[in-house]
Amino acid sequence: MAEIRASLPALPARRYEWWRSLDADQARRAALLDRLEALHAHLGGQPALGCDPADPLPAAALEAAEGTGDGELDGLIATYRATACR
């Protein structure tokens, strides 16, 4: 996630204007970063608004997030699978 974050322009106070300033590739990476951060928070016990901590995470989301280069996220996914996917 840090690598994706570093590849994007700095996020100013006005998030809407920042999103509008991104080219297509940057917008794709920013959307991916948003999803990875939400997944990271959910796995860390801080689910997104409208999600219950006990909600099962889609296997496809976990598979897509694995191997993104974020060792902490990979560890959280492994722990989640070991405990919640029984």
Side-chain angles (χ1 to χ4, degrees):
M1 289 188 321
E3 186 177 313
I4 296 170
R5 189 177 292 111
S7 73
L8 296 168
L11 183 63
R14 296 186 160 180
R15 191 171 173 91
Y16 176 74
E17 291 176 10
W18 179 78
W19 274 102
R20 290 194 49 154
S21 73
L22 300 177
D23 63 31
D25 186 55
Q26 289 173 325
R28 182 190 58 76
R29 285 183 279 133
L32 173 61
L33 181 61
D34 275 355
R35 287 189 209 91
L36 289 174
E37 286 175 340
L39 178 61
H40 189 272
H42 190 92
L43 290 169
Q46 300 171 336
L49 291 175
C51 293
D52 186 89
D55 285 347
L57 295 171
L62 297 173
E63 290 168 12
E66 281 182 312
T68 59
D70 187 321
E72 183 181 357
L73 181 59
D74 287 343
L76 287 169
I77 291 170
T79 301
Y80 174 80
R81 283 192 167 142
T83 58
C85 297
R86 291 182 196 185

